[in-house]
């Protein structure tokens, strides 16, 4: 990430909104914003890191619920914040919880739209684990919706991807009920 360029751009924004970028409180702001962006958008740097998979013969569904998630709406560069839920029915392979969380971070710490984010997480988990079935649900509040425009605080966007046997509507509905949806 070109932090120097971000700093210059932030300074330009400060000038454009009529502020004085040299005043005490703002002098370090471009640098701080650049550092924050580097951290919050670190998903671009994530390469094909090791994704350890264990052989496992368990045949019950594995559910990871209420994983905190934040990302950035690519239309407004404002955050959307919420929770992700994953359920999969293993097909001989399972993954550690941290690997699932890291997969979510890899795709969420980028400029995103929630629908694509949900799909990218589902695609990667299908490729890594090849489960018999998979459901990924993300529910998030978009600050671009709640702070501006139609201003609907508290409204939550829910996106959903089902793969394998859970593409069957009645099966996926029973999984969603396990998420409390
Ligand atoms: Zn937006």
């Amino acid at each position: 990430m070109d932090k120097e360029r971000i700093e210059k751009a932030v300074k330009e924004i400060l000038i454009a909104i009529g502020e004085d970028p040299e005043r005490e409180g703002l002098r370090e702001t471009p640098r701080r914003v650049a550092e924050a962006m580097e951290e919050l958008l670190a998903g671009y740097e994530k390469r094909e890191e090791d994704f350890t998979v264990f052989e496992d013969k368990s045949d019950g569904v594995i559910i990871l619920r209420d994983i905190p998630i934040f990302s950035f709406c690519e239309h407004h560069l404002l955050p959307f914040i919420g929770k992700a839920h994953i359920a999969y029915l293993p097909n001989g392979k399972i993954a550690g919880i941290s690997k699932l969380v890291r997969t979510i971070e890899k795709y969420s710490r980028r400029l995103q739209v929630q629908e694509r984010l949900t799909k990218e997480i589902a695609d990667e988990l299908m490729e890594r684990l090849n489960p018999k079935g998979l459901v990924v649900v993300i529910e998030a509040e978009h600050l671009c919706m709640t702070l501006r425009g139609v201003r609907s605080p508290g409204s939550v966007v829910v996106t959903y991807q089902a793969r394998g046997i859970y593409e069957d509507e009645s099966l996926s509905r029973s999984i969603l009920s396990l998420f409390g949806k």
Side-chain angles (χ1 to χ4, degrees), residues 46-97:
K46 298 258 188 288
R47 276 174 272 269
E48 291 303 306
E49 49 183 88
D50 67 313
F51 186 104
T52 321
V53 167
F54 306 98
E55 300 298 319
D56 194 282
K57 297 219 184 324
S58 59
D59 53 2
V61 62
I62 295 172
I63 293 174
L64 203 56
R65 228 177 67 176
D66 296 334
I67 310 155
I69 192 168
F70 72 83
S71 188
F72 285 87
C73 149
E74 69 182 19
H75 303 132
H76 301 95
L77 303 190
L78 286 170
F80 57 96
I81 301 165
K83 287 173 183 170
H85 316 286
I86 293 170
Y88 68 101
L89 188 62
N91 190 13
K93 286 192 276 187
I94 59 168
I97 291 167

Coordinates of all heavy atoms in Angstrom, one line a residue, residues 46-97:
K46 N -2.9 -10.2 2.0 CA -2.9 -11.7 2.4 C -2.8 -12.6 1.2 O -3.5 -12.6 0.3 CB -4.3 -12.0 3.1 CG -4.5 -11.2 4.4 CD -4.3 -12.0 5.6 CE -4.7 -11.3 6.9 NZ -3.8 -10.2 7.2
R47 N -1.7 -13.3 1.2 CA -1.4 -14.2 0.1 C -2.0 -15.6 0.4 O -2.6 -15.8 1.4 CB 0.1 -14.3 -0.1 CG 0.7 -13.2 -0.9 CD 2.2 -13.3 -1.0 NE 2.7 -12.6 0.1 CZ 3.1 -11.3 0.1 NH1 3.0 -10.6 -1.1 NH2 3.6 -10.6 1.1
E48 N -1.6 -16.5 -0.4 CA -2.1 -17.9 -0.2 C -1.3 -18.5 1.0 O -0.4 -19.2 0.9 CB -1.8 -18.7 -1.4 CG -2.6 -18.4 -2.6 CD -4.1 -18.5 -2.3 OE1 -4.5 -19.6 -1.9 OE2 -4.8 -17.5 -2.5
E49 N -1.7 -18.0 2.2 CA -1.1 -18.6 3.4 C -1.6 -20.0 3.7 O -2.5 -20.4 3.1 CB -1.3 -17.7 4.6 CG -2.7 -17.3 4.8 CD -2.9 -16.3 5.9 OE1 -2.8 -15.1 5.7 OE2 -3.1 -16.8 7.0
D50 N -0.8 -20.6 4.5 CA -1.2 -22.0 4.8 C -2.5 -22.1 5.5 O -2.9 -21.3 6.3 CB -0.1 -22.7 5.7 CG -0.1 -22.1 7.1 OD1 -0.1 -20.8 7.2 OD2 -0.1 -22.8 8.1
F51 N -3.3 -23.0 5.0 CA -4.7 -23.2 5.5 C -4.7 -24.6 6.0 O -5.0 -25.5 5.2 CB -5.7 -22.9 4.4 CG -7.1 -22.9 4.9 CD1 -7.8 -21.7 5.1 CD2 -7.8 -24.1 5.1 CE1 -9.2 -21.8 5.5 CE2 -9.1 -24.1 5.5 CZ -9.8 -23.0 5.7
T52 N -4.3 -24.9 7.2 CA -4.2 -26.2 7.7 C -5.6 -26.9 7.8 O -6.5 -26.4 8.3 CB -3.6 -26.2 9.1 OG1 -2.6 -25.2 9.1 CG2 -3.0 -27.6 9.4
V53 N -5.6 -28.1 7.2 CA -6.8 -28.9 7.2 C -6.5 -30.2 7.9 O -5.5 -30.8 7.7 CB -7.3 -29.1 5.8 CG1 -8.3 -30.2 5.7 CG2 -7.7 -27.8 5.1
F54 N -7.4 -30.6 8.8 CA -7.3 -31.9 9.4 C -8.2 -33.0 8.8 O -9.3 -32.7 8.5 CB -7.6 -31.8 10.9 CG -6.9 -30.7 11.6 CD1 -7.5 -29.4 11.8 CD2 -5.5 -30.9 12.1 CE1 -6.8 -28.4 12.4 CE2 -4.9 -29.8 12.7 CZ -5.5 -28.6 12.9
E55 N -7.6 -34.2 8.7 CA -8.5 -35.3 8.4 C -9.4 -35.6 9.5 O -9.0 -35.6 10.7 CB -7.7 -36.5 8.1 CG -6.7 -36.4 6.9 CD -7.3 -36.1 5.6 OE1 -8.4 -36.7 5.3 OE2 -6.8 -35.2 4.9
D56 N -10.7 -35.7 9.3 CA -11.6 -36.0 10.4 C -12.8 -36.7 9.8 O -13.3 -36.4 8.8 CB -12.1 -34.7 11.0 CG -12.7 -34.9 12.3 OD1 -13.9 -35.3 12.3 OD2 -12.1 -34.7 13.4
K57 N -13.3 -37.7 10.6 CA -14.4 -38.5 10.1 C -15.7 -38.1 10.7 O -16.7 -38.8 10.5 CB -14.1 -40.0 10.4 CG -12.9 -40.6 9.8 CD -13.1 -42.0 9.3 CE -11.8 -42.7 8.7 NZ -11.0 -41.8 7.9
S58 N -15.7 -37.0 11.4 CA -17.0 -36.6 12.1 C -18.0 -36.3 11.0 O -17.7 -35.8 9.9 CB -16.8 -35.4 13.0 OG -16.2 -34.3 12.2
D59 N -19.2 -36.6 11.3 CA -20.2 -36.4 10.2 C -21.3 -35.5 10.7 O -22.4 -35.4 10.1 CB -20.8 -37.8 9.8 CG -21.4 -38.6 10.9 OD1 -21.3 -38.1 12.1 OD2 -21.8 -39.7 10.7
G60 N -21.0 -34.7 11.7 CA -22.0 -33.7 12.2 C -21.7 -32.3 11.6 O -20.6 -32.1 11.3
V61 N -22.7 -31.5 11.6 CA -22.5 -30.1 11.0 C -21.7 -29.3 12.0 O -21.8 -29.5 13.3 CB -23.9 -29.5 10.7 CG1 -24.7 -29.3 12.0 CG2 -23.7 -28.1 10.1
I62 N -20.8 -28.5 11.5 CA -19.9 -27.6 12.4 C -20.4 -26.2 12.1 O -20.5 -25.7 11.0 CB -18.4 -27.8 12.0 CG1 -18.0 -29.2 12.3 CG2 -17.6 -26.8 12.8 CD1 -16.6 -29.5 11.8
I63 N -20.7 -25.5 13.3 CA -21.2 -24.2 13.2 C -20.3 -23.2 13.9 O -19.9 -23.5 15.0 CB -22.6 -24.2 13.8 CG1 -23.6 -25.0 12.9 CG2 -23.2 -22.7 13.9 CD1 -25.0 -25.1 13.4
L64 N -20.0 -22.1 13.3 CA -19.3 -21.0 13.9 C -20.2 -19.8 13.8 O -20.5 -19.4 12.7 CB -18.0 -20.8 13.2 CG -16.9 -20.1 13.9 CD1 -16.5 -20.9 15.2 CD2 -15.6 -20.1 13.0
R65 N -20.6 -19.3 14.9 CA -21.7 -18.3 15.0 C -21.1 -17.0 15.5 O -20.2 -17.0 16.3 CB -22.8 -18.8 15.8 CG -24.2 -18.6 15.2 CD -25.2 -19.2 16.2 NE -25.4 -18.4 17.4 CZ -26.3 -18.6 18.3 NH1 -27.1 -19.6 18.2 NH2 -26.4 -17.9 19.4
D66 N -21.7 -15.9 15.1 CA -21.4 -14.6 15.7 C -19.9 -14.2 15.6 O -19.4 -13.7 16.6 CB -21.9 -14.5 17.1 CG -23.4 -14.7 17.3 OD1 -24.1 -14.3 16.3 OD2 -23.8 -15.2 18.3
I67 N -19.3 -14.4 14.5 CA -17.9 -14.0 14.3 C -18.0 -12.5 13.9 O -18.6 -12.1 12.9 CB -17.2 -14.7 13.1 CG1 -17.4 -16.2 13.3 CG2 -15.8 -14.3 13.0 CD1 -17.4 -17.0 12.0
P68 N -17.3 -11.6 14.7 CA -17.4 -10.2 14.4 C -16.8 -9.9 13.1 O -15.7 -10.5 12.7 CB -16.6 -9.5 15.5 CG -16.3 -10.6 16.5 CD -16.5 -11.9 15.9
I69 N -17.4 -9.0 12.3 CA -16.8 -8.7 11.0 C -16.9 -7.2 10.7 O -17.9 -6.6 11.1 CB -17.6 -9.5 9.9 CG1 -16.9 -9.5 8.6 CG2 -19.1 -9.1 9.8 CD1 -17.5 -10.5 7.6
F70 N -15.9 -6.7 10.1 CA -16.1 -5.3 9.6 C -15.4 -5.2 8.2 O -14.4 -5.9 8.0 CB -15.6 -4.2 10.5 CG -14.1 -4.1 10.7 CD1 -13.4 -3.4 9.7 CD2 -13.5 -4.8 11.7 CE1 -12.0 -3.4 9.8 CE2 -12.1 -4.7 11.8 CZ -11.4 -4.0 10.9
S71 N -16.0 -4.4 7.4 CA -15.4 -4.2 6.0 C -15.8 -2.8 5.6 O -16.3 -2.0 6.3 CB -16.1 -5.3 5.1 OG -15.4 -5.3 3.8
F72 N -15.4 -2.5 4.3 CA -15.6 -1.2 3.8 C -16.5 -1.2 2.5 O -16.1 -1.9 1.6 CB -14.3 -0.5 3.5 CG -13.6 0.0 4.7 CD1 -12.8 -0.8 5.4 CD2 -13.9 1.3 5.2 CE1 -12.2 -0.4 6.6 CE2 -13.3 1.7 6.4 CZ -12.4 0.9 7.1
C73 N -17.6 -0.5 2.6 CA -18.4 -0.4 1.4 C -17.6 0.3 0.3 O -17.0 1.4 0.5 CB -19.6 0.5 1.7 SG -20.3 1.4 0.4
E74 N -17.5 -0.3 -0.9 CA -16.6 0.3 -1.9 C -17.3 1.4 -2.6 O -16.7 2.1 -3.4 CB -16.2 -0.8 -3.0 CG -17.3 -1.3 -3.8 CD -16.8 -2.4 -4.8 OE1 -15.7 -3.0 -4.5 OE2 -17.5 -2.7 -5.7
H75 N -18.6 1.7 -2.3 CA -19.3 2.8 -3.0 C -19.1 4.1 -2.2 O -19.1 5.2 -2.8 CB -20.8 2.5 -3.1 CG -21.1 1.3 -3.9 ND1 -21.9 0.3 -3.4 CD2 -20.6 0.8 -5.0 CE1 -22.0 -0.7 -4.3 NE2 -21.1 -0.4 -5.3
H76 N -18.9 4.0 -0.9 CA -18.8 5.2 -0.1 C -17.5 5.3 0.8 O -17.3 6.2 1.5 CB -20.0 5.4 0.8 CG -21.3 5.4 0.1 ND1 -22.1 4.3 -0.2 CD2 -21.9 6.5 -0.5 CE1 -23.1 4.7 -0.9 NE2 -23.1 6.0 -1.1
L77 N -16.7 4.2 0.8 CA -15.5 4.1 1.7 C -15.9 4.3 3.1 O -15.2 4.9 3.9 CB -14.4 5.1 1.3 CG -13.9 5.1 -0.1 CD1 -12.6 6.0 -0.2 CD2 -13.5 3.7 -0.5
L78 N -17.1 3.8 3.5 CA -17.6 3.8 4.9 C -17.7 2.4 5.3 O -17.9 1.5 4.5 CB -18.9 4.5 5.0 CG -18.8 6.1 4.9 CD1 -20.2 6.7 4.8 CD2 -18.1 6.7 6.0
P79 N -17.5 2.1 6.6 CA -17.5 0.8 7.1 C -18.9 0.1 7.1 O -19.9 0.8 7.2 CB -17.0 0.9 8.6 CG -16.5 2.3 8.7 CD -17.2 3.1 7.7
F80 N -18.9 -1.2 7.0 CA -20.1 -1.9 7.4 C -19.6 -3.0 8.4 O -18.5 -3.5 8.3 CB -20.9 -2.5 6.2 CG -20.2 -3.4 5.3 CD1 -20.3 -4.8 5.4 CD2 -19.6 -2.9 4.2 CE1 -19.7 -5.7 4.5 CE2 -19.0 -3.8 3.2 CZ -19.1 -5.1 3.4
I81 N -20.4 -3.1 9.4 CA -20.0 -3.8 10.7 C -21.1 -4.8 11.1 O -22.3 -4.5 11.0 CB -19.8 -2.8 11.8 CG1 -18.7 -1.8 11.4 CG2 -19.4 -3.5 13.1 CD1 -18.7 -0.6 12.3
G82 N -20.7 -6.0 11.4 CA -21.7 -6.9 11.8 C -21.1 -8.3 12.3 O -20.1 -8.3 12.9
K83 N -21.9 -9.3 11.9 CA -21.5 -10.7 12.3 C -21.6 -11.6 11.1 O -22.4 -11.5 10.3 CB -22.4 -11.2 13.4 CG -22.3 -10.5 14.7 CD -23.4 -11.0 15.6 CE -23.2 -10.3 17.0 NZ -24.4 -10.5 17.8
A84 N -20.6 -12.6 11.1 CA -20.7 -13.7 10.1 C -21.0 -15.0 10.8 O -20.6 -15.2 12.0 CB -19.4 -13.7 9.4
H85 N -21.7 -15.8 10.1 CA -22.0 -17.2 10.6 C -21.6 -18.2 9.5 O -21.9 -18.0 8.4 CB -23.5 -17.4 11.0 CG -24.1 -16.2 11.7 ND1 -23.8 -15.9 13.0 CD2 -24.9 -15.2 11.3 CE1 -24.5 -14.8 13.4 NE2 -25.1 -14.4 12.3
I86 N -21.0 -19.3 10.0 CA -20.6 -20.3 9.0 C -21.0 -21.6 9.5 O -20.9 -21.9 10.7 CB -19.0 -20.3 8.8 CG1 -18.5 -19.1 8.2 CG2 -18.6 -21.6 8.0 CD1 -17.0 -18.9 8.2
A87 N -21.6 -22.4 8.6 CA -21.9 -23.8 9.0 C -21.5 -24.7 7.8 O -21.7 -24.4 6.7 CB -23.5 -24.0 9.2
Y88 N -20.8 -25.8 8.2 CA -20.5 -26.8 7.1 C -20.6 -28.2 7.6 O -20.4 -28.5 8.8 CB -19.1 -26.4 6.5 CG -17.9 -26.7 7.4 CD1 -17.1 -27.8 7.2 CD2 -17.5 -25.7 8.3 CE1 -16.0 -28.0 8.0 CE2 -16.4 -25.9 9.1 CZ -15.6 -27.1 9.0 OH -14.5 -27.3 9.7
L89 N -20.9 -29.0 6.6 CA -21.0 -30.5 6.9 C -19.7 -31.1 6.3 O -19.6 -31.1 5.0 CB -22.3 -31.0 6.3 CG -22.6 -32.5 6.6 CD1 -22.8 -32.6 8.1 CD2 -23.8 -32.9 5.8
P90 N -18.8 -31.5 7.1 CA -17.5 -31.9 6.6 C -17.6 -33.2 5.7 O -18.5 -34.0 5.8 CB -16.7 -32.3 7.8 CG -17.4 -31.7 9.0 CD -18.9 -31.6 8.6
N91 N -16.6 -33.3 4.8 CA -16.5 -34.4 3.9 C -15.1 -35.0 4.1 O -14.4 -35.2 3.2 CB -16.7 -33.9 2.5 CG -16.8 -35.0 1.5 OD1 -17.1 -36.2 1.9 ND2 -16.7 -34.7 0.2
G92 N -14.8 -35.3 5.4 CA -13.5 -35.9 5.7 C -12.4 -34.8 6.1 O -11.3 -35.2 6.6
K93 N -12.7 -33.5 5.9 CA -11.7 -32.5 6.2 C -12.4 -31.4 7.1 O -13.5 -31.0 6.8 CB -11.2 -31.8 5.0 CG -10.2 -32.7 4.2 CD -9.5 -31.9 3.1 CE -10.3 -31.8 1.8 NZ -9.6 -31.2 0.7
I94 N -11.7 -31.0 8.2 CA -12.1 -29.9 8.9 C -11.0 -28.9 9.1 O -9.8 -29.2 8.9 CB -12.6 -30.3 10.3 CG1 -11.5 -31.0 11.1 CG2 -13.9 -31.2 10.2 CD1 -11.9 -31.2 12.6
A95 N -11.3 -27.6 9.5 CA -10.3 -26.6 9.6 C -10.4 -26.0 11.0 O -11.5 -26.0 11.6 CB -10.5 -25.5 8.6
G96 N -9.2 -25.5 11.5 CA -9.2 -24.8 12.8 C -10.1 -23.6 12.7 O -10.2 -23.0 11.6
I97 N -10.6 -23.1 13.8 CA -11.4 -21.9 13.9 C -10.7 -20.7 13.4 O -11.2 -19.9 12.6 CB -12.0 -21.7 15.3 CG1 -13.0 -22.8 15.6 CG2 -12.6 -20.4 15.4 CD1 -13.4 -22.9 17.1

